[in-house]
Amino acid sequence: MDRAELSITVHRTGDEAVLRLAGEIDMQTAAQLSTVVNEVLAEPPPRIVLDLGGVTFCDSQGLGTLVVLSRKASHAQSLLLLTNVGEFLLRVLDITGLRSALMIRNDATTT
């Protein structure tokens, strides 16, 4: 079985850090995502944007990681915002009831 890969690029501006993700968020890559977000939270910006436009897969470990990171950001007085969330992931978030636990902004809509 091939090892899942996740590419994360970080771009910081004055009030936000944008993390562009590409690949899979799963049990093999969730720790990598946590590490990068925790590094950003060492000096927390008001907003952390996870751009999920390049994410092709997310399993239950990935979902749990997103919720945990959202809570960690909140405790650090930062907002974790998901953007460019694919239809497949929105559907999974709806089915699991986790959509309400996360801040999602696709295009002009915020939920």
Side-chain angles (χ1 to χ4, degrees):
M1 184 173 181
D2 289 339
R3 169 134 172 90
E5 292 189 16
L6 179 65
S7 165
I8 305 171
T9 57
V10 179
H11 178 72
R12 277 187 178 258
T13 62
D15 20 336
E16 70 179 17
V18 178
L19 285 65
R20 284 183 174 54
L21 282 60
E24 301 181 3
I25 306 173
D26 62 14
M27 62 184 266
Q28 295 180 351
T29 62
Q32 175 189 354
L33 175 58
S34 291
T35 298
V36 173
V37 172
N38 286 329
E39 288 170 359
V40 169
L41 287 172
E43 292 182 34
R47 185 172 50 244
I48 300 170
V49 179
L50 296 185
D51 182 342
L52 303 181
V55 172
T56 57
F57 178 79
C58 185
D59 69 3
S60 60
Q61 182 77 32
L63 293 174
T65 299
L66 292 174
V67 172
V68 167
L69 292 175
S70 179
R71 289 183 182 150
K72 280 186 175 183
S74 180
H75 289 304
Q77 305 301 310
S78 186
L79 172 69
L80 184 77
L81 179 67
L82 308 183
T83 189
N84 295 318
V85 181
E87 286 299 318
F88 81 94
L89 186 50
L90 287 173
R91 185 157 190 253
V92 170
L93 291 170
D94 284 337
I95 290 169
T96 58
L98 291 174
R99 188 170 182 162
S100 62
L102 299 166
M103 181 70 69
I104 300 171
R105 181 187 69 207
N106 278 349
D107 300 325
T109 60
T110 303
T111 30

